[in-house]
Amino acid sequence: MIDLDILKSLILKNDKKIVLVVIDGIGGLPLDIDGKTELETAAKPFLDELASRSICGLTEAISPGITPGSGPAHLALFGYDPIKYQIGRGVLEALGIGLMLTPQDLSARANFATMNEENIITDRRAGRIPTEKNQQLCSLLQEKISKIDDCEIIIRHGKEHRFVVIFRGEGLSDELTDTDPQKEGKKASLAEALNPKAEKAARLINEFVRRANEILSPHSPANTILLRGLAKCPQIPSLGELYGLRPAAIATYPMYKGLARLVGMKILESCETIEDEFLTLQKNFAKYDFFYLHIKKTDSFGEDGNFAEKVNVIIQVDSQIPILTKLKPDVIVVTSDHSTPALLKGHSWHPNPFVLCSPTCRPDDVREFSESACLKGGLGRFPAVEAMPLMLAHALKLAKLGA
């Protein structure tokens, strides 16, 4: 990737508009050897037509064979080296629900989960409990656990099974392990210090989990909690500073709002549906020159192993593409942060289909928005971190390098 300081030196400001649509986890796998992926199965005439006017390829979020988390995968799409800028998920979740973090804060992304009598995690998402139940349980935990020793505990609900815990106190290091085993069928882990200076944080976190388990024991399926992404808030240059953009984000889930807020995007609040997200883009199109529009449910149904519902979400997204194309942005990109095949019920290392439509692109022979079709596209297989320079170039926002 090109050095960010060099890229910054090439920036040209103009009024051209870029729209980046990230259909989370869209990449998939066939359920049988002769089958099709979710993307190949879905009827998506508008996405296919867009691909036919575009230059296409496949992106690698991190590196071949490496399965990315949502944070690094998105940062790569925004042009940040995901290895250099490693952002803990707890920070992203906290920022996403509007919490202001201090240098004392250690943030955790938390799940309500289900644990059996042998202390085995049987469901890491507690059946995706309703958000209303989440709110009730977070209020209960906050009432019962507001402080441990000299550390303030701040608990805020998110959506469904997700919530945020902030440990606010002196001397808290984020060099420690998660309590989430990442798979069902295992016991939750204890937080362990990876450095002696993190021993205080590990002790506080384990005590918090112990108390939470006692309080939640009558509340199955949400009778335990899992913590991951324990992190402190880093410093990162904004999209405005780097690229001279006026960026805005449209997302329904807190973590993705947090990602956007971290890199300096204005959060445009929309309702819950995909249609609402595209209408929000339409209403605000004149105000900004870079839009990040995030679709979550493709990833959620992929993680649930629900092939059919993931297909249905792709069809819903396709139905909204005419709203986007009628706005006539100077650059349209449709892609994903990572793949989430329903077959695997989780993120995977598979590269992501990428479509770039612009008056300045050289359309290739791709006629379908799918994994196999985009593999044959003119962009080939390339690092996701190179997507931002491509978007900027096609929006005529980059000067020539050198004489």
Side-chain angles (χ1 to χ4, degrees), residues 44-57 318 321 325 332 334 354-358 361-370 373-374 377-378:
K44 49 185 190 325
F46 298 113
L47 283 166
D48 290 344
E49 192 277 333
L50 183 68
S52 72
R53 297 187 286 113
S54 303
I55 188 165
C56 306
D318 184 76
I321 294 301
T325 54
I332 297 173
V334 180
F354 181 96
V355 165
L356 187 153
C357 185
S358 170
C361 79
R362 295 171 176 167
D364 48 35
D365 293 330
V366 173
R367 295 295 177 265
E368 178 187 0
F369 181 53
S370 70
C374 287

Side-chain angles (χ1 to χ4, degrees), residues 94-95 97-102 105 154 166 168 261:
L95 293 174
I97 61 174
L99 291 171
M100 300 300 293
L101 298 178
T102 75
D105 293 346
I154 301 166
I166 294 176
R168 179 170 291 170
R261 189 170 279 121

Side-chain angles (χ1 to χ4, degrees), residues 31-161:
L31 293 180
D32 57 70
I33 194 168
D34 296 319
K36 297 179 178 181
T37 69
E38 298 93 326
L39 195 52
E40 292 166 340
T41 301
K44 49 185 190 325
F46 298 113
L47 283 166
D48 290 344
E49 192 277 333
L50 183 68
S52 72
R53 297 187 286 113
S54 303
I55 188 165
C56 306
L58 293 174
T59 64
E60 296 279 6
I62 309 294
S63 184
I66 303 301
T67 298
S70 296
H74 271 85
L75 286 173
L77 283 175
F78 299 152
Y80 299 88
D81 181 345
I83 303 301
K84 178 180 178 181
Y85 295 101
Q86 296 194 40
I87 316 298
R89 186 139 186 175
V91 167
L92 300 177
E93 291 283 343
L95 293 174
I97 61 174
L99 291 171
M100 300 300 293
L101 298 178
T102 75
Q104 290 184 315
D105 293 346
L106 178 62
S107 303
R109 151 74 187 273
N111 280 13
F112 287 107
T114 307
M115 181 171 64
N116 67 16
E117 293 179 354
E118 287 75 40
N119 297 327
I120 301 296
I121 302 300
T122 59
D123 187 338
R124 291 179 56 248
R125 301 177 181 89
R128 294 191 186 275
I129 58 172
T131 299
E132 294 75 17
K133 183 65 174 177
N134 180 326
Q135 293 173 333
Q136 295 170 10
L137 293 176
C138 283
S139 295
L140 177 64
L141 290 174
Q142 184 68 85
E143 178 186 348
K144 299 290 187 181
I145 318 174
S146 60
K147 196 170 186 179
I148 299 176
D149 297 339
D150 62 346
C151 180
E152 182 183 359
I153 310 297
I154 301 166
I155 303 167
R156 295 291 185 271
H157 71 84
K159 288 180 178 291
E160 298 175 334
H161 55 284

Side-chain angles (χ1 to χ4, degrees), residues 105-362:
D105 293 346
L106 178 62
S107 303
R109 151 74 187 273
N111 280 13
F112 287 107
T114 307
M115 181 171 64
N116 67 16
E117 293 179 354
E118 287 75 40
N119 297 327
I120 301 296
I121 302 300
T122 59
D123 187 338
R124 291 179 56 248
R125 301 177 181 89
R128 294 191 186 275
I129 58 172
T131 299
E132 294 75 17
K133 183 65 174 177
N134 180 326
Q135 293 173 333
Q136 295 170 10
L137 293 176
C138 283
S139 295
L140 177 64
L141 290 174
Q142 184 68 85
E143 178 186 348
K144 299 290 187 181
I145 318 174
S146 60
K147 196 170 186 179
I148 299 176
D149 297 339
D150 62 346
C151 180
E152 182 183 359
I153 310 297
I154 301 166
I155 303 167
R156 295 291 185 271
H157 71 84
K159 288 180 178 291
E160 298 175 334
H161 55 284
R162 304 172 179 88
F163 65 105
V164 172
V165 184
I166 294 176
F167 301 87
R168 179 170 291 170
E170 296 289 345
L172 300 181
S173 169
D174 58 5
E175 295 185 58
L176 68 170
T177 62
D178 299 342
T179 73
D180 187 348
Q182 294 289 332
K183 288 185 178 181
E184 282 84 8
K186 296 182 177 182
K187 292 184 178 182
S189 307
L190 290 174
E192 295 183 6
L194 300 175
N195 186 303
K197 65 183 180 181
E199 289 177 359
K200 176 182 178 180
R203 177 177 54 79
L204 288 168
I205 288 163
N206 291 329
E207 176 61 15
F208 173 76
V209 172
R210 186 191 68 78
R211 295 188 192 185
N213 285 344
E214 289 182 354
I215 295 164
L216 294 172
S217 60
H219 295 278
S220 186
N223 62 356
T224 190
I225 62 170
L226 303 173
L227 304 182
R228 62 187 173 114
L230 293 149
K232 308 198 82 167
C233 193
Q235 295 297 313
I236 184 169
S238 72
L239 295 181
E241 293 170 325
L242 290 173
Y243 312 131
L245 295 171
R246 291 176 289 113
I250 302 166
T252 60
Y253 273 62
M255 180 195 161
Y256 307 96
K257 295 179 183 181
L259 271 164
R261 189 170 279 121
L262 183 68
V263 298
M265 294 190 200
K266 171 70 175 177
I267 308 301
L268 304 179
E269 297 297 342
S270 62
C271 297
E272 297 299 311
T273 69
I274 292 169
E275 181 181 8
D276 288 333
E277 291 191 80
F278 279 89
L279 290 175
T280 300
L281 171 67
Q282 185 180 55
K283 291 174 184 176
N284 291 275
F285 191 68
K287 300 176 185 177
Y288 304 93
D289 59 8
F290 181 93
F291 293 87
Y292 155 61
L293 192 155
H294 179 263
I295 306 295
K296 173 59 179 173
K297 287 296 185 179
T298 32
D299 178 59
S300 299
F301 286 122
E303 289 182 333
D304 290 345
N306 195 329
F307 188 100
E309 283 305 314
K310 184 176 173 183
V311 169
N312 286 337
V313 176
I314 295 168
I315 294 171
Q316 291 174 45
V317 174
D318 184 76
S319 72
Q320 300 304 307
I321 294 301
I323 294 177
L324 169 59
T325 54
K326 285 178 183 177
L327 293 171
K328 296 184 178 180
D330 299 279
V331 179
I332 297 173
V333 167
V334 180
T335 188
S336 186
D337 53 341
H338 56 76
S339 294
T340 309
L343 179 69
L344 300 180
K345 296 184 179 181
H347 294 196
S348 77
W349 60 94
H350 299 89
N352 308 291
F354 181 96
V355 165
L356 187 153
C357 185
S358 170
T360 58
C361 79
R362 295 171 176 167

